[in-house]
């Protein structure tokens, strides 16, 4: 029997290539807008890939300069978005020991690490920032948010590549179900648009090389897709036990009904169909649901092999009938933050009865036997929403949300 504890999503925060907050991002998603562009930085001029999905605004501009200068960009994003979500949730008065933070990241403070190494090599050890270690460590975003919110129920930092944000939300559900806390700020952040990650992914032939057409470079499930586009951002959600939320008169955007986690244990980078099927099937069983009336937010990064494998996995675990959306077509791939942003899209699709369109899907791959929303948003009154996240290392996570 599945765990029937009711867990609500009481609010959301976001900072993405489509908008500076959750609402602006959602409106842009519904309109099928583009967040991908040409990199204007001088360091990108000689790179094999010169496009990315960057934030619409600098997160450092939303905090005091003295605060921003000691934080990695991913940590800045974490604080700004967590503050948004917490404020929109009504800044609830909670026993600090009953609040936890779970923020995942795929790479952590890589730009700080590389930047400070450059300073060391060009200017010497005296110029290296004393804040370097807190800036580069992967648990930095979770730690800073826990201090900012005085959350003493635990500060966790899943590092599971592109499944990190989704795994953070799954862990948040477990913490509430176990009775350890009443409220969890959970999600993911990433800020790794830098010459080395771009070059490394390009060397793997994982990135789109459409440098002259960035607005159409990310095209999940399309026959002409040729790789993903690197993005940055963050998207935490506030999870709360229903009893606690009701007691303080809170609203809900939706409910987190179930999760499924599997490890492929087969290949460090390749997609694994059986592992993905297990994660999706487990999440639906955990939620006590079938896949009959569900909308799916696909991981769908726009890679030739990955999209087909996921399409086949969805068909096996859920069926070919659900409406499927793939918002990385607009935002690019936010790596460790992508699962959290996908969860937000799934929650709001249920709340508003509208699944965002998959941008740039002009000729669907014949190997993708799914009903993919394209052109414009797709309306529907679904029972639940399933959101997939898969990461290098064989990390597979699926989340199932229900209506409020």
């Amino acid at each position: 029997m599945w765990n029937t504890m009711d867990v609500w999503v009481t609010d959301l925060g976001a900072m993405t290539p489509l908008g500076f907050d959750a609402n602006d991002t959602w409106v842009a998603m519904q309109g099928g807008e583009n967040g991908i562009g040409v990199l204007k930085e001088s360091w990108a001029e000689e790179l094999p890939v010169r496009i990315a999905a960057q934030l619409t605004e600098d997160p450092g501009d939303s905090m005091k300069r003295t605060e921003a200068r000691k934080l990695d960009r991913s940590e800045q994003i974490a604080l700004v978005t967590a503050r948004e979500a917490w404020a929109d949730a009504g800044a609830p008065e909670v026993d600090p020991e009953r609040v936890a933070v779970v923020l995942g990241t795929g790479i952590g403070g890589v730009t700080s690490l590389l930047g400070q190494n450059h300073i060391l090599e060009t200017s010497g050890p005296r110029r290296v920032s004393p804040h370097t270690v807190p800036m580069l460590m992967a648990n930095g975003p979770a730690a800073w948010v826990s201090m900012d919110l005085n959350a003493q129920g635990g500060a966790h930092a899943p590092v599971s590549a592109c499944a990190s944000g989704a795994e953070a939300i799954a862990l948040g559900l477990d913490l509430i179900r176990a009775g350890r806390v009443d409220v969890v700020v959970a999600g993911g952040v990433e800020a790794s648009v830098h010459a080395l990650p771009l070059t490394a992914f390009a060397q793997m032939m994982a990135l789109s090389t459409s440098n002259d057409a960035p607005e159409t470079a990310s095209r999940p499930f399309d026959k002409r897709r040729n790789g993903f586009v690197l993005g940055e951002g963050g998207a935490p959600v506030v999870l709360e036990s229903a009893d606690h939320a009701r007691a303080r008169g809170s609203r809900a955007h939706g409910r987190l009904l179930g999760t499924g986690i599997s490890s492929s244990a087969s290949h460090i980078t390749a997609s694994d169909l059986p592992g993905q099927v297990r994660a999706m099937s487990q999440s639906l069983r955990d939620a006590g649901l079938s896949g009959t009336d569900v909308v799916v937010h696909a991981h769908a990064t726009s890679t030739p092999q990955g999209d087909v494998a996921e399409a086949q996995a969805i068909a096996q675990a859920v069926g070919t009938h659900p409406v499927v959306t793939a918002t990385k077509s607009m935002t690019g791939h936010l790596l460790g933050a992508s699962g959290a942003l996908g969860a937000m899209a799934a929650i709001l699709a249920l709340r508003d009865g509208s699944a965002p369109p998959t941008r740039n899907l002009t000729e669907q791959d014949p190997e993708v036997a799914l009903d993919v929303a394209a052109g414009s948003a797709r309306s529907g009154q679904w029972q639940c929403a399933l959101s997939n996240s898969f990461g290098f290392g064989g990390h597979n996570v699926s989340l199932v949300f229900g209506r409020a």
Side-chain angles (χ1 to χ4, degrees):
M1 185 66 178
W2 62 90
N3 191 316
T4 56
M5 177 176 282
D6 205 8
V7 175
W8 289 6
V9 180
T10 52
D11 239 299
L12 312 143
M15 183 179 294
T16 74
L18 292 177
F20 196 67
D21 57 25
N23 183 68
D24 286 353
T25 296
W26 180 237
V27 170
M29 278 186 176
Q30 287 288 294
E33 296 182 16
N34 171 56
I36 299 167
V38 175
L39 290 166
K40 296 180 173 60
E41 291 83 355
S42 59
W43 53 257
E45 293 175 357
E46 301 301 321
L47 298 183
V49 172
R50 299 181 295 280
I51 57 174
Q54 296 176 288
L55 295 176
T56 58
E57 297 181 44
D58 188 337
D61 293 341
S62 295
M63 56 183 64
K64 294 179 179 178
R65 185 174 180 275
T66 52
E67 181 181 37
R69 65 189 296 269
K70 64 183 180 181
L71 300 172
D72 179 74
R73 187 173 174 87
S74 65
E75 296 169 342
Q76 294 175 356
I77 294 169
L79 279 174
V80 173
T81 56
R83 287 167 178 171
E84 177 197 350
W86 196 249
D88 287 350
E93 294 185 7
V94 190
D95 178 353
E97 295 184 8
R98 303 293 297 173
V99 184
V101 172
V102 191
L103 283 179
T105 180
I107 302 179
V110 63
T111 58
S112 292
L113 172 63
L114 295 171
Q116 292 300 315
N117 183 67
H118 178 73
I119 290 172
L120 174 63
E121 293 182 343
T122 58
S123 302
R126 289 183 178 274
R127 304 298 297 175
V128 172
S129 170
H131 304 295
T132 298
V133 172
M135 290 168 72
L136 65 85
M137 60 192 196
N139 64 308
W144 282 112
V145 170
S146 72
M147 289 184 283
D148 196 60
L149 301 180
N150 193 26
Q152 300 176 24
H156 307 273
V159 180
S160 305
C162 306
S164 302
E167 190 169 309
I169 293 172
L171 177 55
L173 178 65
D174 289 346
L175 289 171
I176 294 174
R177 281 178 170 177
R180 289 179 54 187
V181 296
D182 300 310
V183 182
V184 181
V185 177
V189 295
E190 202 76 83
S192 57
V193 178
H194 183 281
L196 182 58
L198 281 164
T199 301
F201 279 123
Q203 289 292 91
M204 296 176 67
M205 301 182 70
L207 294 182
S208 171
T209 55
S210 301
N211 291 315
D212 296 330
E215 69 282 354
T216 59
S218 184
R219 40 195 325 120
F221 300 129
D222 191 85
K223 187 177 180 179
R224 293 178 293 170
R225 68 191 182 280
N226 65 359
F228 74 83
V229 177
L230 185 61
E232 61 177 355
V237 300
V238 178
L239 303 177
E240 194 166 350
S241 71
D243 289 344
H244 188 273
R246 289 191 189 100
R248 70 182 188 87
S250 178
R251 71 188 190 286
H253 292 283
R255 296 177 294 148
L256 178 53
L257 302 178
T259 66
I261 299 177
S262 73
S263 51
S264 299
S266 58
H267 194 279
I268 197 67
T269 58
S271 299
D272 174 64
L273 191 150
Q276 294 177 8
V277 170
R278 288 199 306 275
M280 283 183 261
S281 299
Q282 287 172 13
S283 68
L284 289 167
R285 284 197 302 271
D286 187 34
L289 298 168
S290 69
T292 302
D293 188 15
V294 58
V295 59
V296 177
H297 183 279
H299 182 64
T301 62
S302 188
T303 59
Q305 292 80 23
D307 286 9
V308 170
E310 183 179 10
Q312 294 171 347
I314 291 171
Q316 287 189 31
V318 188
T320 58
H321 60 282
V323 173
V324 176
T325 181
T327 59
K328 289 182 182 69
S329 57
M330 296 174 263
T331 66
H333 190 359
L334 275 60
L335 304 183
S338 65
L341 184 57
M344 186 190 91
I347 294 162
L348 297 181
L350 271 188
R351 185 196 70 180
D352 295 350
S354 180
T358 301
R359 184 181 169 87
N360 301 322
L361 182 54
T362 55
E363 185 178 1
Q364 188 163 317
D365 189 325
E367 294 189 72
V368 177
L370 300 174
D371 180 14
V372 183
S376 59
R378 185 81 67 85
S379 298
Q381 295 299 314
W382 303 283
Q383 177 188 18
C384 60
L386 183 147
S387 182
N388 287 331
S389 297
F390 311 127
F392 283 178
H395 305 279
N396 307 303
V397 180
S398 295
L399 307 172
V400 174
F401 298 94
R403 288 189 184 181

